[in-house]
Structure formats: C-alpha cells, structure tokens
Amino acid sequence: MKVAFLINKSSGSSDTDEGLKSLIQSRISNTDFESYFIDCCNSDSEKQINDLINDELDILVASGGDGTINSAASKIIDKNISLGILPSGTLNHFAKDLNIPNDIEQAINVILKGNKIKVDVGEVNGLIFLNNSSIGFYPKVVKKRDKHLERLGGNKWIAMFKSIINVFKNYKLLKVEIKTEEKSHEITTPFVFIGNNEYQMNLLNLGKRKSLTNGHLSLYYGKAHGKFSVIWFTFLGLLNKLDQNKDFIIEMTDEVIIDINKKIIEVSRDGEVDHLQSPLVYKIRPKSLSVIVPEVE
C-alpha cells in the first residue's frame, strides 16, 4: 500500500518535526505501507504529490492544521485515494468533527486501522473548503492577523484580538445579493458564513457539526445594523454568548450565488484568505472525499 505523509513543520504543534517522522516510521515498520515523506513547505512538494498520485497512491496523510488538510484534500477529491489526518494545527476543526484524536500516536493508529467513509466538501468558484468559507468581517481580521504575525510574531490569539480592533476602525457593513434555489434577496450584514453541512454557529467560536454527509451548505448571516451593533455582536461572539436562533439568519441550500458590487472579494476558506472574482458561486459536493476515521464502537 502506497502512503504519502505531507508534513507542515510550521503548524501549531511541536510534534511536526523530525520526531514526528521517527514516530510514524516506528509505527508503520511492520505494516505493508510503502511510505513517502513530503515537506509541504518545500517548493517541490506539489510535484512530488502529483507524481505519487499518478503512480497509484492509496493514502495521502496530512499532518498540520486545517489549511494543510485542505491542500491535501484538494489533490484527491473524487479520486480513489483516501485522506489520513494527523491533527497538529491550532484549531483542527475538521479532525474534531470526524472524532480523530488530537494525540498524534492515537491518530496514527486510526490510519493503520484504515476505516474509511465518504464525506461532503464545499466549493467556492472551483476551490474546495472542508469546514467553512466567509466574506466580510472575518477575512479582513484574518488578513490583518497574518500580517501582524509576519511582521511581529507572537501569539496567534493576541494578534487576532488586535486585528479585530484595527478592522473596526474602517469597517463598513456588506451589501450583498444572495441567490439560492428558493429565492433571491439583498441583505446588509457584517459577514456571510457558508458551512460545509450544518454548524452550531457562534462567529469566532465554531461549534461541532453533527454530520458531514447531509449534502447541504449552511448559510448564516448576522442580524447587526450599524457599526456599534457590529462591535456588540463581535463582543458577544468572543464571550460565546451569541444565540444561534436570535442573532443569525440561517438557510440550508445546495447552491448559493453571492454577489457584491466589487470585482474582487476577500474570501476566507478554512482559515486562509483568497481574493476571488465576483460573483461567488458556492456548491456542495456530496460524498466526494474519502477520509480515514475512527471505527464506531
């Protein structure tokens, strides 16, 4: 069995170093794994992965955060290749929703057992997301946070808090046209959030998804009008005090078109920010990704 391990050495966990490679090698030494190790920060990593995929790769294992896992999954969508996950990022939303243990050795054991399921992924303008995508307030905060960390370093959460304050200084509400299968309407809101399946939603603190196989996108936007209401809305979000039913408008859909009067839009996708052309076309891709998960007891 041909298995490639894509390792992000710069992700949030200290396990992503040579020690991780040694641990993996010791655990798979008595298996039929024909293993390959790829540094995802290497300029040749994309070619290495593509060559292995063309050479009948069976499993692509991603060690890192949600961004690294997204990159690996993008390579094998709708292919007869399974995704293995060694969660070593800061948040690990996708791994948590699949009940993959945070402990690296336990996560390796999950991969060794090889229990596979097919899960849904979301798509925006041809790019996939495993967790969620958003426009408006959140992508601007992430962009500021990343610039802050690149320039000054430090703690990611402190950088996030400083970025929230900076974004508010010049932030304006979005005027958006939303078109689903059911209707078309215009809204004014601080953000629009699109989830791969249904979330228990709380802005900066995302809850777990009960399922990744229901074949729907979840569309959320905040009931906030005016700059001060946005500040209050975000403050409640940081305190985990937002009420999903009171503070959000929620729709379930298979496809949505989001149009803003801008040519290029900042879009957050699994915690990374892209600049995409308007309009944004979101779709669900049901059961298009094979993932190795723990066996149900």
Side-chain angles (χ1 to χ4, degrees), residues 21-271:
K21 184 176 177 180
S22 297
L23 175 61
I24 293 170
Q25 287 174 324
S26 69
R27 295 291 293 115
I28 67 174
S29 60
N30 295 319
T31 71
D32 64 349
F33 280 13
E34 181 185 340
S35 58
Y36 300 83
F37 291 88
I38 302 169
D39 178 358
C40 81
C41 303
N42 190 307
S43 58
D44 293 330
S45 62
E46 187 163 343
K47 182 181 184 304
Q48 289 175 288
I49 294 171
N50 289 336
D51 287 346
L52 285 166
I53 288 172
N54 292 333
D55 197 24
E56 299 183 347
L57 184 69
D58 295 294
I59 301 172
L60 178 58
V61 179
S63 172
D66 287 312
T68 304
I69 294 164
N70 177 300
S71 296
S74 298
K75 295 287 187 185
I76 60 174
I77 291 292
D78 291 324
K79 288 185 169 65
N80 191 28
I81 301 171
S82 296
L83 177 70
I85 299 173
L86 301 179
S88 55
T90 305
L91 299 174
N92 304 314
H93 287 303
F94 191 58
K96 287 176 183 176
D97 288 343
L98 292 171
N99 296 314
I100 294 170
N102 249 358
D103 180 83
I104 293 298
E105 191 158 1
Q106 291 179 25
I108 293 171
N109 289 339
V110 169
I111 294 167
L112 292 175
K113 289 180 180 178
N115 181 50
K116 303 170 187 175
I117 64 169
K118 293 270 193 176
V119 299
D120 307 335
V121 304
E123 175 186 297
V124 52
N125 288 15
L127 301 173
I128 74 156
F129 56 95
L130 304 176
N131 300 313
N132 55 73
S133 174
S134 64
I135 60 172
F137 173 75
Y138 183 68
K140 292 185 181 297
V141 170
V142 170
K143 191 175 178 181
K144 283 275 188 185
R145 179 204 67 190
D146 290 346
K147 285 184 177 178
H148 179 92
L149 289 171
E150 185 179 334
R151 190 173 68 252
L152 301 174
N155 182 277
K156 184 178 283 190
W157 291 109
I158 293 174
M160 176 71 89
F161 183 74
K162 290 179 178 178
S163 300
I164 289 170
I165 295 170
N166 288 333
V167 168
F168 273 128
K169 292 177 183 177
N170 301 302
Y171 185 70
K172 295 180 181 178
L173 294 175
L174 288 174
K175 292 185 178 180
V176 181
E177 182 180 10
I178 295 178
K179 301 175 187 176
T180 66
E181 304 101 316
E182 303 292 328
K183 60 183 177 179
S184 175
H185 56 294
E186 293 184 352
I187 60 169
T188 301
T189 182
F191 71 92
V192 181
F193 173 101
I194 301 92
N196 171 20
N197 284 272
E198 187 174 4
Y199 271 90
Q200 291 300 308
M201 179 53 185
N202 190 4
L203 189 59
L204 299 177
N205 300 300
L206 298 176
K208 280 181 69 69
R209 288 167 287 182
K210 291 182 180 179
S211 173
L212 279 164
T213 58
N214 282 340
H216 298 294
L217 298 172
S218 53
L219 178 66
Y220 300 78
Y221 40 99
K223 296 178 182 178
H225 302 284
K227 192 164 186 176
F228 289 106
S229 66
V230 175
I231 294 172
W232 179 243
F233 190 88
T234 305
F235 178 69
L236 291 176
L238 289 168
L239 294 178
N240 205 24
K241 296 294 184 181
L242 286 172
D243 185 304
Q244 177 161 311
N245 296 318
K246 285 172 50 181
D247 297 310
F248 296 95
I249 297 170
I250 306 168
E251 299 178 37
M252 303 300 294
T253 185
D254 297 338
E255 183 173 337
V256 59
I257 298 173
I258 297 178
D259 205 352
I260 302 175
N261 191 23
K262 289 183 179 180
K263 189 173 182 180
I264 301 296
I265 305 170
E266 290 179 337
V267 180
S268 171
R269 188 171 54 92
D270 289 345

